[in-house]
Amino acid sequence: MEDALKIRLFLHSIITIYFCLYISPVESSPEIISRFQQYLQINTAHPNPKYYESAEFLISQAESLNLEHETLEFVKGKPLVLLKWTGKNPNLPAILLNSHTDVVPAEHHKWNHSPFDANVDEAGDIYARGSQDMKCVGLQYLEAIRRLKGSGFQPIRTVYLSFVPDEEIGGHDGAEKFAESERFKKMNVGIVLDEGLPSPDENYRIFYAEKCAWWLTIKATGLPGHGAKLYDNSAMENLLKSIESARRFRASQFGLVKAGLMAEGEVVSVNMVFLKAGTPTPTGFVMNLQPSEAEAGFDVRVPPTADPISLEKRISEEWAPSSRNMTFEFKQQGYNFEKKFVTATDNSNPWWKLLEGAVEKANGKIGKPEIFPASTDARYFRKQGLPAIGFSPMINTPVLLHDHNEFLNQDEYLKGIAVYESIIKEYTSYIELTDNEASRDEL
Ligand SMILES: [Zn+2]
Ligand SMILES: [Zn+2]
């Protein structure tokens, strides 16, 4: 080959490489994964979540992305980090990407990897409390914005990101106060994205509503007596009858799911979460004394499709009848008696179609819309009359929220970033006012 030709080819390849790097400055995945690990390594488990450490980390991310940031502290010690990417038309209602920063506790000794090390195994699975619920989503939002900014994309609608505390203990000092605040009203939000669930198959799951948590305790009282004596109406006997009744109801609801007649989100779930009874000694319990009090706790979840009045009647008449010396109390009882907070999935809600389209553009498939079988902060935004969609982009992943050895595969995490990139693009480029937005503007 002639020297001149060689030189031309050489220069051509240099220029091509330069332009490829310049036009799409895609960051290597080790750095993306390492940022996810850093967030997972901050121990934000209850009862003492390191909220300030996580806020500091999130603010450093925001600064590296040139996003505006503010910290709202509705309750001292519980910072909520709010980030903003201003759109070209800030008068249009904004997009809110919400995620919670807290996680549930982990029984460290029962995990194969320490839950706050964020170890990656040979298969690329990242083990950590919060890897599915829901630190993944919070950082995927940020990584998607990093890529969009890198590609020169400019949103038309404004995007807000809220990183909220306390979701796992009810969200009262976090998303609830935020959604009710003046600051929130000023943001003029039109659509909220919040958490969903992983899918064990290849279809992403999308949620339009959720169950209400009824945290119920039932208590029995009765006469104490000799451990050898047979008598009626002891506290233990009375409580056991209630437990049996609740179990029968649980089995009938679960049976509908097992038979494929109802989805998990459509039935009432009842699970016993504690039992408290007996006369303690320093080494155990007194064995020959029937106690005068016995108590059980149930996590009951009620879908918007259930009749809350008949369920409450069942509780007071069958599970805790006063005729059996029983009382009951709700530690928390959702909103079922007021209005049903359900986000439309039909044409009246353009955000639904846009989300489906965006996931498909990122080569994802979507399953049937579902009711979230537990609870999320989305309820507080729905209560404000806003559409809120539950979505966590994880497919081919076992559901391990609140479980031991919670993990997310790194490739799945990276794919989720591309899905959010597509969603944020579609959402922020949508310029028509939805019917709701238009009627809000008229007010
Ligand atoms: Zn969660
Ligand atoms: Zn959770």
Side-chain angles (χ1 to χ4, degrees), residues 134-368:
M134 63 173 299
K135 286 181 169 169
C136 49
V137 171
L139 272 214
Q140 280 167 324
Y141 294 150
L142 284 170
E143 298 295 349
I145 289 176
R146 190 180 297 277
R147 287 216 210 150
L148 287 168
K149 284 204 158 198
S151 73
F153 176 80
Q154 284 189 304
I156 298 175
R157 291 191 188 238
T158 292
V159 185
Y160 284 99
L161 290 90
S162 46
F163 292 85
V164 305
D166 275 11
E167 191 279 342
E168 295 292 4
I169 55 166
H172 307 295
D173 293 343
E176 184 171 26
K177 290 205 165 56
F178 176 48
E180 289 171 354
S181 69
E182 279 309 307
R183 180 70 190 92
F184 185 77
K185 282 194 191 79
K186 255 182 54 199
M187 286 161 60
N188 187 21
V189 170
I191 171 74
V192 182
L193 289 190
D194 204 327
E195 66 189 307
L197 289 176
S199 163
D201 63 29
E202 72 283 3
N203 297 316
Y204 287 106
R205 303 174 71 178
I206 314 201
F207 300 88
Y208 62 96
E210 62 182 47
K211 294 185 185 177
C212 292
W214 288 14
W215 288 341
L216 169 74
T217 59
I218 62 181
K219 198 167 175 178
T221 51
L223 287 178
H226 195 291
K229 188 176 164 194
L230 285 168
Y231 59 96
D232 283 326
N233 279 322
S234 75
M236 281 293 202
E237 275 298 300
N238 283 341
L239 183 67
L240 278 173
K241 283 181 190 157
S242 298
I243 292 172
E244 275 164 20
S245 176
R247 279 197 63 217
R248 269 198 304 279
F249 179 70
R250 178 189 191 276
S252 73
Q253 294 288 295
F254 197 11
L256 294 168
V257 179
K258 286 178 179 160
L261 297 170
M262 295 265 230
E264 194 191 349
E266 291 166 344
V267 298
V268 177
S269 69
V270 181
N271 290 307
M272 192 156 70
V273 290
F274 75 78
L275 263 176
K276 206 167 111 191
T279 308
T281 67
T283 53
F285 291 92
V286 178
M287 293 302 291
N288 55 355
L289 171 63
Q290 299 185 54
S292 66
E293 283 183 6
E295 196 180 340
F298 295 88
D299 182 323
V300 182
R301 302 289 170 126
V302 190
T305 45
D307 173 6
I309 311 249
S310 75
L311 182 63
E312 212 180 65
K313 193 159 174 264
R314 180 187 294 276
I315 292 169
S316 67
E317 289 178 4
E318 294 176 27
W319 301 2
S322 51
S323 58
R324 227 172 34 232
N325 285 337
M326 310 274 311
T327 53
F328 68 97
E329 192 189 322
F330 288 110
K331 297 286 171 200
Q332 165 140 342
Q333 194 181 25
Y335 300 111
N336 269 57
F337 293 97
E338 301 167 23
K339 200 173 164 287
K340 312 280 181 201
F341 301 111
V342 172
T343 296
T345 58
D346 60 14
N347 289 338
S348 68
N349 175 12
W351 301 111
W352 195 268
K353 275 266 146 328
L354 283 171
L355 187 99
E356 285 182 334
V359 174
E360 275 157 21
K361 274 193 190 162
N363 298 319
K365 285 184 288 180
I366 292 177
K368 227 177 117 216

Side-chain angles (χ1 to χ4, degrees), residues 100 133 167-168 401-402:
H100 61 83
D133 181 12
E167 191 279 342
E168 295 292 4
L401 289 87
H402 300 201

